[in-house]
Every structure is written in structure tokens, then in C-alpha cells.
């Protein structure tokens, strides 16, 4: 029997490949034939599928015929085709479901069109049968047309099914023919490739047999050479083993030296003793092959008592070591008494035996630690659980390393002591520095308090020597240059120049020499050619100590005197202004009460009384308005104001009431500012009234409204008396009136312009005037121009809190939609009326800047003919009103709310807004379509499901 050589195996492998290729070719041929037969079977199945679908149509027709026969005759026997057709319909549907699972196209038509249509017809036939049996034949006849429409729709679907079956049959047959041709072509190509591969394999096998013969001859030659090399290799291995033993010894010695070197490196460079022990003890144990160590120090408590503290330990069980000992005994005691190392062997017990309990003996080495005077200050304890004796070489190494440890340890102990001393000194220095800073701070604080006080202050000692004077006292009397001089002498020198200070100097002298115990003195003097009124009083400082002195406080009363003078003038003006109209009212009422007058005179007197009462009311209102503004209690309701309309409104009110014509000149039809509407009217009224009052000989007032660089400018010009130069600095002062011979007949309280100035500045505006004597005066008011924002295609945030509005805008940035902030409902209503593109979403706070609230804007939005369906989020800290109900496009969020919640609600509303689809319960689609179109709703698409109809409608467009 021949052996299987590599060449023969290769030949067999080639033969096997050829056989496999031939088998694959035959398999492909058989598969192609099977594919053709399978496709023929698919074509043959199309006939029963078509028959079944035709049977479905026949079943429905039988049911329809039976229902109509029963409707006409009311004979139950006519319903047999209905019952039979209904049962046969269920069987046919079951049969066709077997086929439609194989063909997705057929299944799609059946599931989406045929079965829903059959279901609707079945429901229609069932409802017809119920109506006939209930005696409602007329209603049933009226529904015959609807059933016919449904049957026509199914016939159209049936035609689609037949076309689909024909297409499936045609496509399958064509594909099967192509598949068969392709398979046979693959088989032919595979056979050719198999023949080529076989030929190549035979050639390769022949060449392999020849190579094998040559290799066999070479193998015998190399076998002899391999035996010689093996002998040499054994000798080399023996030499390598000897070298490995030597290398191991050298490596062990090198490791020991590295441990010692590492240990020595760790003996220096530490700031604290605990870090030194934490690093050096593990290195010492590794170098000496020990298992545990601890360091004990002697701690003197007083002259007689001493305690011993374990300052560091490593390798012992957790509860094995006691940190403090009052007394030592045995080897530990001998270390302190003798000052030499000693060794102790002991049995191991408890946790010290280890987890496996194999440690039974331990050797302890007690090694003394010395100071620079060779006195024992503690000891080092080393413990080994690995051997019961010590090698001589190990003992020498231990002595050397431990000596190094002792020197480094003592150096570290001394360094620790120095660090503690330095820390104590630093703490003392910090404490002294803090106390110094506190004293200096208190001094500076007192100095700052005295310097920042509104009163002048000066201090002297009990002898009258000036010690301190703040800047206000220096401003009045220059006492800073007199520090160290006698106060009494300085006061007499001041009294020489200011005679009113003589009484003050006398009082100060009496206070210092003890004649008076306290003093309070009022006086006046001139400063920068202006009269000043002051009060000086003194108090005793450090009365109960030896260092007694006096603190003099100088209080400026100039403003008080001015206010008293103003108050007196105010009382005089008010009493005069109030008494004048009041006297007229009382006088005419007295005449009306005690005299018989004609109707004309009664009417004339009553008109005079009404005019004087109105004048009196305006006067009181001016007093109250000014008082509110000056006290900061005036509230402004800011909203967009069209100054052109406001000016025209005020001008119309003044026309024909005076001899003056009010003329308005404007560049544009609209000039918007952000202001309080009522206060703007008051500004126009006061300026026009002032212009009319001070131009008695003129017949016109010109009001100009212009825009310059984003500023709206209101100019009110009269052609009257003008303002004298000496009075121009007080034009906006309260109760000030230009008083000369030309103006004595002009009444008024002098409050109108003061009120205008307060209102303008309350709106961050500016007011000024120009005047020329005999030519007239022009008052000029400037406001920032306001631009009405556009809402087109934006998220609109109604919020007067700028920080919250910014936070909401940042949170809504994830939608990548533009947004704007509006501060008042009035601006929103104006912007809504100017919209061209639809806003996206409104976020509305209730309390806003203007006089209107968020509810006002929502009400205006709900009546808008185009944008009433825009989603709204109500954002407020108030509870929902009792009559408020959320809508699908309106949500209520109570503050505070999270930005995440706001984003969720906004996302829901925006998604709801984007869908223009409405859902109706199942009904006749044609009837529903007719009803919607009759109501002006255009339909894009209607989708009928099992229990509902979804209708997508066209979005209405704005007429504009």
C-alpha cells in the first residue's frame, strides 16, 4: 500500500476541488430548473387568487340584491342570499389572506383599500337591514344611493386588484425566465472554470512530486548536521544556566543596593516629622527585610512625671498598639536605662498571627534614638515574623541603616520644634498686626466719620488748645491752619472780621474757663458773598477721665432758613391764590342768595363761580401733583404715544377759548415716544397755558414737532413779553413768577413750569428755552424717539422685567425662531393692528408698564379677524380668574415656573398650530365634504380610518 506523500495529498486535494466544482455546477442547473417550476407554480396560483377576488365581488352583489329584495317584498326568504353571501365573504377573505401574505403589493391594496371598503359596505347593509326591520323603509330607500356609491367605489378597487394580480403574474413569469437563463449561464461558466482549475491542479501536482524527490535527498544531508548542532547547543545551555545563577545573585545585590539608596534618599527633604516617618519607615523595612516598626518618644509632662507616646507605627494590627504609656517595662525600659539595642523573641497571638494564622514567633529589635548629647529620647522597634535568628551580615546592615535613621530622625525632631516656634511667632506677629490694623482702622473710621459728616466739627482740650478740625469747619473758618493754637484767641480774631461771631467767642471762652457747662449759639455770616446761617453747640468729651476736652459741632442752617423763607412765601402765595377765587365764589354766591337777579345775571354769575371753582381745583391739583413728584410717589404708566395726535387733541381743546390760535407744524404724521399719556397732555396744557399767559398782545402760538438723530423735539413758541436775563436762572423753580410792571396783571402760582420739568425728567427727557425781550419765548422739550416693533413671524414676549424677558428669549432659542420683547399692552395692540405676517406665539404677562393689562391685549387678539388663532401663553404671578378657561391654543403658567416647563408648553402649542387637520367621527365623507365647503372651508385631503375621518384644511389667508 502506497503512503500518502505531500504530492499525493495535493493531487487528491485538486481532484476533490474538481469534484466540488462539478457538483456546484450540477446543483446550479437543478436550482435553475426548480426556480422555473416554482415560478410556474406562482403563475398557476394567480387563477385561484383572481377567482377569490371575483367571488368577493359576487358575495357583495348577492348581499346588495338580497337587501333590495327584502326592502321591496319584506319576505325573509329573500335574505338567504344575504346570509349565504355574508358567510361566503368571510371564507373568501380568509382564503385571500393566505395569498396576500406572499405578495406585499396585493396585501397593501387589500389592507388600505379593499378591506376598509368591504367593512363600510357591511356596516351599510347591516344598518339597512335594521332600518327595514324597524319599519323605516323610506329612510332605508333614501340610503340606497349611498350604498350604490360605496359599491361603485369597491368595483374600482376590485379593478385595481385584478390589475395588480395580472402585473404580479407577468412580472413573476418574466423574472423566472430570466433567472433560469442566468442560472444556466452560471452553470456553463462554472464548468469551464472547473476544467481550467483541474488542469492547473494536475500540472501543479506533477511539479510537486518532482520537488518532493529533491527535498528527500536534501533531508538526509541536513539530518547529520542537525545532530552535531544539538550537541553544541547542550553545552551552551549549561553555560547559560551558570551565568543565570551568577546574574541572579548580582540582581539580588543590586536590588538591595537600590533599596538602601532609595532609603537614604528619603532621609532628607521633609518639612514635618509625620511626613518623614511616613516615607522613611516603609523604606527602612524594605531594606532590612523587616515586617513592622514603630517609633516611641519620651514626653516630659512636668518635673516629676514623664509619659511615652507612639508617634508612628506601621505593619501592626489596628488595635495592637496603645498610643500613650505612663510607664515602660522589659526591653523597652532597658533601652532608656542602658542606651543599647536589645533583642526579644516572643510568641505571636491574636490578630498578629495574620489572616492564615501561620505566624507563631516574632523577633523584636529595640534600638535607642539619641539627641545631640547622646541622651536617649526614644526608641525604634523593628519586628520580624519571618525568621527566628539574625544573620551577622544583616545585623551589621541594621546597625548602619538604623544609625542613619536616628541622626535624620533627631534632625527632623529639631526641625519640627523650630517650625512650631516659627508658627507661634508668626501667630503672635499676625495677632499684633491685626490689632495694629484694627486700631488704625478705628482711627481711620473715626476720621472718615468726622470728615464725611455734614456738620463742621472741631475738638480742643480742657485748656482750649485746638486738636482737630474737619474739612467743613476749615471751609468756614480755616481752623486747620490753627491746630495747636488757643481756640479762644482764634475766635476773637474771627470775631474781628465777623461781628456776629462775638457772642460765639464769648460763649466758648465761658465754656472753657468753666463758667458755663454747655453752650448753644446761633449766628450768621457771609461766605462767598452769600449769607450763611449756622448753629454751634459743644459737648464735653471724656468727662470722667483726666484728658477732658470739648467737641464743637457747627451745623449749617442756611437751607433751613431758605426753606422757612420759601414756606412763608408759599403760604403767602397759596393764601393769596386760594383766597382770590374763593372770595369771588363766596361773593357771587352771597349775591345770588340775598338778591333777586335776572336770569341773564344769574347765568353770568354762575359761570363766573364755575370758572373760579375750576381755577381753584386746578390750583389744588398743581399743589398735589408737585408734592407727589418731589416725594417720588408719582407713578408713570409708560406706553407708546403718538405726539402728533396728542398735540392736535390738546390744540383743539384750546381753540376758541382764548384769543390765540394754536398752530401745529409737524414733519410726519406719526411721532412716537414712550411716555405716560395723561402726563404728556399735562405738559402740553401747561406749556400752552404759559405761552398764552405771557403773550397777551399776540394772537398765535406755534407748536413744532420735529425729529433729529433719533430725538423727538417739541417746540412751543409764543410772541409775547420774553424773559428778563436776571430771571432766567429761576424759571423752573417752584412758586417763581417774573414780577415787573409788565406782568403784574398776570396771575398764577409759579408751579406750571416746575411740574413740566418734573414730568420731562421723569421721562428721561430734557427741557430748555430761549427768549428775547419783547419778541417772545420758545420752550424746547426733547424725548427719545420710539419705534413700534413688528410682530411678523416672531415670538412676542410681553414682559416689563428685562432680565426675565432675556431669560425667556434665551430658553426659546432652541426653536431657532426670532423673538421680541414688548413692555406694554398698548404697544402690542398697535403692533397687532400693523401686522402683515402672522405672529408665531404670544407670551403675555398680566401686569405691564402701561395703563392696560395683558388681559386687554388678549381680548383685542381674540377679536382680530385674522390672527385670533395665534397661540397664547399667559405668564403671571396671579391665580387664574374664576371665569377663565384654558383653550387648545391658550395655556396658563403661574410664576415662578421653570424655563423647561415654558419650553414644553411652547413646543406643544407650536406643534398644534402647525397642524391644520381636524378629526370627525365616522360618517359619510361626501356629506361631510359638502357641509365643510358650504361653510367656506377648503379641503386639502380626507383620510377615512376605521372609526374616524381626518380632514386637512387650507389655512385661511388675510385679505390684506
Amino acid at each position: 500500500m502506497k503512503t500518502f506523500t505531500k504530492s499525493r495529498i495535493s493531487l487528491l486535494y485538486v481532484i476533490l476541488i474538481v469534484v466540488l466544482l462539478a457538483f456546484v455546477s450540477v446543483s446550479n442547473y437543478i436550482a435553475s430548473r426548480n426556480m422555473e417550476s416554482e415560478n410556474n407554480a406562482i403563475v398557476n396560483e394567480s387563477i385561484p387568487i383572481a377567482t377569490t377576488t371575483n367571488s368577493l365581488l359576487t358575495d357583495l352583489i348577492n348581499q346588495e340584491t338580497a337587501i333590495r329584495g327584502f326592502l321591496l317584498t319584506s319576505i325573509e326568504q329573500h335574505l338567504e342570499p344575504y346570509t349565504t353571501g355574508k358567510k361566503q365573504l368571510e371564507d373568501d377573505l380568509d382564503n385571500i389572506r393566505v395569498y396576500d401574505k406572499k405578495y406585499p403589493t396585493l396585501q397593501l391594496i387589500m389592507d388600505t383599500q379593499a378591506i376598509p371598503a368591504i367593512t363600510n359596505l357591511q356596516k351599510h347593509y347591516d344598518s339597512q337591514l335594521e332600518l327595514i326591520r324597524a319599519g323605516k323603509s323610506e329612510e332605508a330607500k333614501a340610503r340606497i344611493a349611498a350604498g350604490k356609491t360605496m359599491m361603485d367605489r369597491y368595483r374600482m378597487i376590485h379593478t385595481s386588484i385584478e390589475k395588480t394580480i395580472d402585473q404580479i403574474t407577468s412580472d413573476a413569469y418574466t423574472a423566472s425566465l430570466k433567472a433560469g437563463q442566468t442560472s444556466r449561464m452560471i452553470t456553463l461558466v462554472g464548468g469551464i472554470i472547473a476544467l481550467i482549475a483541474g488542469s492547473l491542479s494536475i500540472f501543479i501536482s506533477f511539479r510537486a512530486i518532482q520537488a518532493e524527490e529533491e527535498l528527500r535527498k536534501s533531508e538526509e544531508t541536513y539530518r547529520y548536521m542537525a545532530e552535531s548542532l544539538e550537541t553544541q547547543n547542550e553545552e551552551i545551555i549549561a553555560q547559560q544556566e551558570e551565568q543565570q545563577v551568577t546574574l541572579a545573585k548580582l540582581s539580588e545585590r543590586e536590588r538591595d543596593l537600590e533599596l538602601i539608596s532609595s532609603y537614604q534618599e528619603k532621609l532628607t527633604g521633609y518639612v514635618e516629622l509625620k511626613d518623614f516617618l511616613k516615607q522613611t519607615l516603609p523604606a527602612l523595612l524594605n531594606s532590612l527585610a523587616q515586617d513592622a516598626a514603630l517609633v516611641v518618644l519620651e514626653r516630659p509632662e512636668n518635673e516629676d512625671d514623664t509619659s511615652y507616646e507612639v508617634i508612628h507605627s506601621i505593619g501592626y494590627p489596628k488595635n495592637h498598639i496603645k498610643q500613650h504609656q505612663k510607664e515602660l517595662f522589659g526591653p523597652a525600659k532597658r533601652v532608656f536605662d542602658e542606651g543599647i539595642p536589645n533583642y526579644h523573641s516572643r510568641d505571636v497571638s491574636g490578630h498578629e498571627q495574620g489572616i492564615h494564622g501561620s505566624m507563631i514567633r516574632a523577633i523584636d529589635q529595640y534600638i535607642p534614638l539619641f539627641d545631640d548629647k547622646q541622651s536617649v529620647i526614644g526608641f525604634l522597634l523593628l519586628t520580624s515574623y519571618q525568621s527566628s535568628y539574625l544573620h551577622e551580615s544583616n545585623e551589621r546592615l541594621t546597625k548602619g541603616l538604623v544609625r542613619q535613621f536616628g541622626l535624620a530622625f533627631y534632625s527632623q525632631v529639631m526641625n519640627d520644634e523650630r517650625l512650631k516656634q516659627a508658627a507661634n511667632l508668626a501667630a503672635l506677629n499676625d495677632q499684633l498686626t491685626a490689632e495694629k490694623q484694627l486700631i488704625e482702622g478705628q482711627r481711620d473710621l473715626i476720621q472718615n466719620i468726622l470728615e464725611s459728616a455734614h456738620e463742621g466739627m472741631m475738638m480742643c482740650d480742657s485748656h482750649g488748645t485746638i486738636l482737630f478740625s474737619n474739612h467743613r469747619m476749615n471751609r468756614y473758618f480755616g481752623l486747620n491752619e490753627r491746630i495747636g493754637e488757643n481756640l479762644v484767641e482764634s475766635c476773637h480774631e474771627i470775631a474781628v472780621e465777623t461781628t456776629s461771631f462775638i457772642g460765639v467767642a464769648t460763649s466758648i471762652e465761658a465754656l472753657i474757663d468753666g463758667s458755663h457747662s454747655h453752650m448753644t449759639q446761633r449766628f450768621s455770616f457771609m461766605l462767598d458773598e452769600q449769607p450763611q446761617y449756622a448753629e454751634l453747640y459743644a459737648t464735653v468729651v471724656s468727662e470722667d477721665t483726666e484728658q477732658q476736652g470739648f467737641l464743637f459741632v457747627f451745623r449749617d442752617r442756611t437751607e433751613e432758613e431758605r426753606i422757612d423763607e420759601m414756606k412763608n412765601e408759599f403760604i403767602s402765595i397759596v393764601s393769596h391764590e386760594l383766597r382770590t377765587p374763593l372770595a369771588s365764589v363766596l361773593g357771587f354766591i352771597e349775591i345770588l342768595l340775598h338778591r333777586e337777579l335776572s336770569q341773564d345775571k344769574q347765568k353770568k354769575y354762575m359761570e363766573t363761580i364755575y370758572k373760579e371753582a375750576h381755577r381753584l381745583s386746578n390750583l389744588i391739583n398743581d399743589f398735589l401733583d408737585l408734592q407727589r413728584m418731589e416725594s417720588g410717589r408719582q407713578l408713570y404708566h409708560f406706553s407708546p404715544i403718538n405726539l402728533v395726535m396728542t398735540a392736535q387733541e390738546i390744540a383743539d381743546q384750546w381753540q376758541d377759548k382764548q384769543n390765540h390760535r394754536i398752530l401745529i407744524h409737524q414733519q410726519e404724521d406719526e411721532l412716537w415716544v414712550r411716555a405716560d399719556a395723561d402726563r404728556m397732555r399735562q405738559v402740553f396744557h401747561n406749556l400752552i397755558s404759559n405761552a398764552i399767559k405771557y403773550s397777551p398782545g399776540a394772537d398765535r402760538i406755534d407748536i413744532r414737532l420735529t425729529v433729529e438723530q433719533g430725538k423727538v423735539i417739541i417746540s412751543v413758541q409764543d410772541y409775547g413779553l420774553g424773559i428778563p436775563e436776571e430771571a432766567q436762572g429761576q424759571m423752573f423753580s417752584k412758586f417763581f413768577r417774573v414780577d415787573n410792571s409788565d406782568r403784574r396783571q398776570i396771575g398764577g402760582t409759579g408751579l406750571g413750569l416746575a411740574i413740566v420739568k418734573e414730568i420731562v425728567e421723569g421721562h428721561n427727557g430734557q427741557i430748555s428755552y430761549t427768549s428775547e425781550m419783547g419778541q417772545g419765548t420758545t420752550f424746547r422739550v426733547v424725548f427719545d424717539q420710539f419705534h413700534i416693533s413688528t410682530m411678523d413671524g416672531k415670538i412676542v414676549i410681553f414682559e416689563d422685567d428685562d432680565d426675565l424677558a432675556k431669560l425667556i428669549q434665551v430658553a426659546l432659542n432652541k426653536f431657532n425662531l426670532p423673538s421680541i420683547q414688548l413692555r406694554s399692552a398698548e404697544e402690542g395692540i398697535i403692533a397687532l393692528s400693523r401686522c402683515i405676517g402672522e405672529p408665531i406665539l404670544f407670551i403675555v404677562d398680566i401686569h405691564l408698564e402701561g395703563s392696560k393689562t395683558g388681559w386687554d391685549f388678549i381680548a383685542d387678539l381674540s377679536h382680530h379677524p385674522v390672527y385670533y388663532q395665534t397661540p397664547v401663553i399667559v405668564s403671571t404671578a396671579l391665580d387664574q380668574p374664576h371665569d377663565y378657561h384654558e383653550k387648545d391654543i391658550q395655556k396658563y403658567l403661574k410664576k415662578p415656573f421653570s424655563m423647561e416647563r415654558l419650553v414644553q408648553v411652547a413646543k406643544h402649542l407650536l406643534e398644534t398650530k402647525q397642524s391644520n387637520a381636524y378629526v370627525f367621527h365616522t360618517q359619510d365623507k361626501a356629506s361631510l365634504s359638502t357641509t365643510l365647503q358650504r361653510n367656506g372651508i377648503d379641503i386639502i385631503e380626507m383620510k377615512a380610518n376605521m372609526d374616524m375621518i381626518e380632514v386637512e384644511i387650507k389655512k385661511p389667508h388675510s385679505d390684506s
Side-chain angles (χ1 to χ4, degrees):
M1 185 176 180
K2 295 182 178 179
T3 58
F4 286 95
T5 62
K6 292 183 178 178
S7 61
R8 290 190 177 91
I9 292 174
S10 300
L11 182 58
L12 290 175
Y13 179 70
V14 171
I15 294 171
L16 180 61
I17 290 175
V18 173
V19 172
L20 289 176
L21 288 173
F23 177 75
V24 170
S25 299
V26 173
S27 299
N28 287 337
Y29 182 78
I30 295 172
S32 67
R33 297 300 300 173
N34 289 336
M35 185 182 301
E36 289 182 7
S37 63
E38 182 68 20
N39 287 331
N40 289 332
I42 293 173
V43 173
N44 293 333
E45 286 178 357
S46 64
I47 297 174
I49 295 174
T51 303
T52 305
T53 55
N54 290 331
S55 180
L56 289 176
L57 179 60
T58 302
D59 295 337
L60 293 173
I61 292 173
N62 289 339
Q63 292 183 53
E64 181 182 19
T65 304
I67 291 295
R68 289 185 180 179
F70 182 66
L71 175 62
L72 296 174
T73 62
S74 300
I75 299 174
E76 290 288 338
Q77 292 179 352
H78 289 170
L79 288 177
E80 290 180 1
Y82 170 78
T83 307
T84 304
K86 188 172 185 180
K87 184 177 183 305
Q88 184 62 37
L89 180 67
E90 294 177 357
D91 295 337
D92 292 338
L93 286 175
D94 292 337
N95 291 333
I96 205 168
R97 286 192 184 97
V98 175
Y99 295 109
D100 63 19
K101 291 180 180 178
K102 297 180 181 180
Y103 309 108
T105 306
L106 178 61
Q107 182 182 4
L108 178 64
I109 295 175
M110 291 299 298
D111 289 343
T112 59
Q113 298 182 19
I115 292 178
I118 291 171
T119 303
N120 288 336
L121 282 169
Q122 286 292 102
K123 291 181 179 179
H124 174 74
Y125 295 152
D126 292 341
S127 61
Q128 285 287 84
L129 185 58
E130 290 177 1
L131 291 173
I132 296 169
R133 287 178 173 171
K136 300 180 180 179
S137 300
E138 294 301 325
E139 186 176 350
K141 290 179 181 179
R143 292 172 54 113
I144 289 176
K148 184 177 181 303
T149 302
M150 293 182 183
M151 178 58 74
D152 292 340
R153 291 176 183 171
Y154 178 75
R155 284 192 175 93
M156 295 173 64
I157 295 171
H158 179 74
T159 302
S160 300
I161 295 174
E162 289 179 339
K163 291 180 180 179
T164 302
I165 294 172
D166 293 340
Q167 186 64 38
I168 290 172
T169 302
S170 175
D171 293 345
Y173 185 74
T174 302
S176 67
L177 293 177
K178 290 183 180 179
Q181 294 174 359
T182 304
S183 179
R184 285 191 290 273
M185 182 62 67
I186 292 172
T187 302
L188 179 61
V189 173
I192 294 172
I193 293 173
L195 291 174
I196 294 172
S199 302
L200 291 175
S201 299
I202 293 170
F203 176 75
I204 293 170
S205 299
F206 177 74
R207 294 294 297 170
I209 291 172
Q210 291 179 346
E212 184 179 1
E213 292 295 333
E214 294 176 359
L215 287 174
R216 186 180 298 109
K217 294 176 181 179
S218 301
E219 185 178 357
E220 293 176 357
T221 303
Y222 289 129
R223 186 180 297 113
Y224 174 76
M225 295 176 64
E227 290 175 354
S228 301
L229 291 173
E230 186 175 357
T231 303
Q232 295 176 4
N233 187 44
E234 290 177 354
E235 294 177 357
I236 293 172
I237 290 173
Q239 293 175 1
Q240 287 179 345
E241 289 177 351
E242 293 178 1
Q243 291 176 354
Q244 287 178 353
V245 172
T246 304
L247 182 61
K249 292 180 180 179
L250 290 174
S251 298
E252 184 178 357
R253 181 60 180 167
E254 183 180 1
R255 183 182 63 81
D256 293 341
L257 290 174
E258 288 179 355
L259 290 174
I260 294 171
S261 176
S262 175
Y263 162 71
Q264 290 174 342
E265 289 176 357
K266 293 181 179 180
L267 289 176
T268 57
Y270 300 99
V271 178
E272 296 184 359
L273 180 60
K274 61 180 181 180
D275 296 331
F276 168 79
L277 295 173
K278 186 176 180 181
Q279 297 295 328
T280 56
L281 282 181
L284 180 62
L285 292 177
N286 292 334
S287 301
L288 299 177
Q290 298 291 311
D291 299 311
L294 61 80
V295 177
V296 176
L297 272 185
E298 184 180 24
R299 300 291 192 187
E301 295 183 355
N302 50 50
E303 294 181 357
D304 299 325
D305 295 331
T306 301
S307 64
Y308 303 91
E309 179 186 1
V310 178
I311 62 173
H312 192 76
S313 65
I314 180 174
Y316 296 105
K318 184 176 181 181
N319 299 322
H320 189 70
I321 304 299
K322 293 184 179 179
Q323 293 297 118
H324 298 276
Q325 294 283 351
K326 283 291 186 181
E327 186 177 359
L328 298 178
F329 59 90
K333 179 67 175 174
R334 289 179 59 194
V335 168
F336 279 97
D337 294 341
E338 301 173 5
I340 59 175
N342 60 78
Y343 304 92
H344 179 256
S345 178
R346 59 183 174 83
D347 294 330
V348 175
S349 62
H351 293 293
E352 206 173 3
Q353 290 182 342
I355 296 176
H356 43 70
S358 63
M359 299 179 185
I360 58 176
R361 297 289 295 171
I363 296 178
D364 295 331
Q365 301 182 50
Y366 291 84
I367 303 170
L369 300 173
F370 301 97
D371 60 8
D372 56 345
K373 298 179 181 178
Q374 295 301 306
S375 299
V376 179
I377 60 175
F379 66 83
L380 169 66
L381 174 60
L382 300 175
T383 301
S384 174
Y385 301 105
Q386 302 175 6
S387 62
S388 58
Y389 62 92
L390 294 170
H391 295 288
E392 183 178 354
S393 60
N394 191 36
E395 185 177 357
R396 288 197 300 272
L397 179 62
T398 301
K399 287 182 179 179
L401 296 182
V402 167
R403 179 172 177 76
Q404 293 177 0
F405 175 82
L407 294 174
F409 175 77
Y410 179 67
S411 175
Q412 194 66 43
V413 169
M414 296 304 297
N415 185 58
D416 249 27
E417 290 295 330
R418 287 193 294 271
L419 288 176
K420 290 180 181 178
Q421 292 174 1
N424 291 334
L425 290 175
L428 290 173
N429 183 61
D430 291 342
Q431 184 177 356
L432 290 173
T433 303
E435 292 179 355
K436 179 181 178 182
Q437 291 177 347
L438 178 62
I439 293 172
E440 291 177 352
Q442 291 176 344
R443 182 197 64 194
D444 294 340
L445 178 61
I446 294 172
Q447 181 78 16
N448 291 334
I449 291 173
L450 294 177
E451 289 293 343
S452 61
H454 291 285
E455 291 82 8
M457 294 185 180
M458 183 271 296
M459 186 174 178
C460 68
D461 61 13
S462 58
H463 302 291
T465 303
I466 300 174
L467 303 176
F468 168 79
S469 174
N470 69 355
H471 73 285
R472 286 189 177 272
M473 189 66 83
N474 299 331
R475 176 173 177 268
Y476 295 130
F477 303 110
L479 292 182
N480 191 36
E481 300 174 356
R482 299 176 183 267
I483 301 296
E485 298 181 7
N486 187 271
L487 177 61
V488 176
E489 295 177 359
S490 299
C491 289
H492 283 299
E493 292 178 6
I494 294 172
V496 173
E497 298 178 0
T498 305
T499 56
S500 61
F501 204 73
I502 296 175
V504 177
T506 303
S507 299
I508 292 174
E509 184 177 4
L511 177 68
I512 293 175
D513 64 21
S515 302
H516 294 161
S517 58
H518 63 278
M519 68 160 287
T520 300
Q521 191 78 26
R522 291 188 176 185
F523 61 97
S524 62
F525 61 97
M526 298 295 293
L527 180 66
D528 298 333
E529 298 183 356
Q530 296 293 330
Q532 304 290 323
Y533 300 90
E535 180 180 17
L536 183 67
Y537 60 89
T539 57
V540 180
V541 180
S542 303
E543 186 175 359
D544 299 330
T545 63
E546 295 180 359
Q547 297 181 349
Q548 181 177 341
F550 301 94
L551 176 66
F552 293 89
V553 180
F554 175 90
R555 188 170 67 85
D556 189 356
R557 295 181 57 256
T558 305
E559 186 64 20
E560 293 180 11
E561 290 290 336
R562 189 184 69 81
I563 291 174
D564 286 342
E565 182 180 354
M566 185 182 297
K567 180 183 68 175
N568 294 334
E569 182 181 359
F570 170 75
I571 293 173
S572 174
I573 293 173
V574 170
S575 62
H576 176 268
E577 294 295 334
L578 292 179
R579 285 177 179 177
T580 300
L582 190 59
S584 298
V585 171
L586 292 175
F588 283 108
I589 289 176
E590 184 178 3
I591 293 173
L592 290 172
L593 289 175
H594 297 93
R595 295 184 186 179
E596 292 292 336
L597 301 173
S598 63
Q599 290 292 333
D600 292 340
K601 285 190 175 182
Q602 287 183 5
K603 181 179 179 182
K604 182 179 179 180
Y605 291 166
M606 291 298 292
E607 289 175 351
T608 303
I609 292 172
Y610 173 77
K611 184 174 68 174
E612 294 297 326
H614 185 67
R615 175 184 169 193
L616 187 62
S617 174
N618 290 337
L619 182 63
I620 294 172
N621 287 335
D622 286 345
F623 291 152
L624 295 177
D625 286 343
L626 191 61
Q627 191 273 336
R628 279 196 302 270
M629 293 174 186
E630 290 185 338
S631 63
R633 292 185 291 107
Q634 177 65 50
L635 297 177
Y636 295 106
H637 299 287
F638 291 97
S639 61
I641 303 297
N642 184 359
L643 286 182
V644 175
M645 292 181 60
T646 303
Q648 189 63 55
E649 174 189 345
I650 303 303
D652 290 343
Q653 294 177 11
W654 280 91
Q655 299 292 3
D656 302 327
K657 293 185 179 180
Q658 303 287 339
N659 296 326
H660 296 72
R661 292 177 295 114
I662 312 298
L663 304 179
I664 297 178
H665 313 274
Q666 80 267 5
Q667 293 177 339
E668 303 175 10
D669 294 335
E670 292 184 348
L671 291 176
W672 294 91
V673 297
R674 181 172 162 270
D676 186 307
D678 292 335
R679 296 306 158 195
M680 281 298 99
R681 293 187 184 95
Q682 190 173 5
V683 167
F684 276 107
H685 276 299
N686 286 3
L687 291 178
I688 293 173
S689 173
N690 185 78
I692 292 173
K693 195 182 302 179
Y694 286 93
S695 59
D699 64 346
R700 58 181 279 188
I701 302 293
D702 286 324
I703 300 177
R704 293 179 174 84
L705 302 173
T706 58
V707 179
E708 293 181 8
Q709 299 179 353
K711 301 288 185 180
V712 177
I713 303 170
I714 306 169
S715 299
V716 179
Q717 182 177 5
D718 65 57
Y719 303 92
L721 305 175
I723 302 172
E725 184 177 353
E726 64 273 11
Q728 292 184 4
Q730 297 176 282
M731 283 303 298
F732 299 107
S733 300
K734 294 179 294 184
F735 309 113
F736 177 78
R737 292 181 298 173
V738 178
D739 189 15
N740 58 31
S741 58
D742 295 332
R743 296 171 174 81
R744 287 178 183 174
Q745 74 277 13
I746 301 174
T749 60
L751 295 177
L753 292 179
I755 292 173
V756 169
K757 185 174 185 295
E758 290 289 341
I759 294 174
V760 171
E761 291 179 350
H763 286 69
N764 296 321
Q766 300 88 37
I767 184 170
S768 59
Y769 67 91
T770 56
S771 182
E772 184 177 351
M773 288 298 294
Q775 301 297 321
T777 304
T778 301
F779 281 90
R780 191 171 184 265
V781 179
V782 180
F783 294 111
D784 291 331
Q785 187 178 12
F786 185 82
H787 298 281
I788 301 297
S789 303
T790 174
M791 297 180 176
D792 300 349
K794 297 178 181 177
I795 297 176
V796 185
I797 303 169
F798 285 87
E799 180 60 62
D800 56 357
D801 186 333
D802 294 336
D803 294 334
L804 179 56
K806 184 66 175 177
L807 180 61
I808 292 174
Q809 286 180 305
V810 171
L812 297 180
N813 280 342
K814 67 179 299 181
F815 297 128
N816 294 322
L817 295 172
S819 61
I820 59 169
Q821 175 197 1
L822 303 184
R823 303 176 61 89
S824 65
E826 288 87 346
E827 182 181 358
I829 292 172
I830 296 170
L832 185 64
S833 66
R834 299 180 172 207
C835 266
I836 299 175
E838 181 182 7
I840 298 175
L841 172 68
F842 291 109
I843 301 175
V844 184
D845 189 9
I846 298 304
H847 292 302
L848 299 170
E849 274 192 347
S851 57
K852 294 186 178 182
T853 67
W855 293 124
D856 296 316
F857 172 78
I858 293 173
D860 195 80
L861 175 65
S862 65
H863 293 92
H864 196 279
V866 179
Y867 306 132
Y868 65 94
Q869 288 288 342
T870 305
V872 176
I873 298 177
V874 180
S875 161
T876 178
L878 304 175
D879 292 329
Q880 290 189 10
H882 294 299
D883 57 348
Y884 176 81
H885 299 286
E886 282 191 350
K887 306 174 184 177
D888 292 337
I889 59 169
Q890 192 175 108
K891 298 298 178 183
Y892 197 99
L893 287 184
K894 184 177 179 181
K895 295 179 181 178
F897 51 79
S898 66
M899 291 299 105
E900 181 180 359
R901 173 60 178 160
L902 175 65
V903 171
Q904 290 176 351
V905 173
K907 181 179 180 183
H908 171 73
L909 290 176
L910 291 176
E911 290 175 350
T912 303
K913 177 184 178 182
Q914 291 171 0
S915 174
N916 295 317
Y918 295 82
V919 175
F920 300 91
H921 292 294
T922 302
Q923 53 186 299
D924 183 54
K925 290 171 62 176
S927 175
L928 177 60
S929 175
T930 302
T931 303
L932 294 176
Q933 291 178 356
R934 188 168 54 247
N935 286 276
I937 300 176
D938 295 330
I939 300 172
I940 298 176
E941 184 180 4
M942 297 182 71
K943 298 178 182 178
N945 298 320
M946 295 296 294
D947 56 353
M948 66 180 65
I949 296 175
E950 183 177 349
V951 180
E952 185 176 354
I953 67 172
K954 289 184 179 179
K955 188 175 181 181
H957 297 283
S958 172
D959 295 336
S960 59

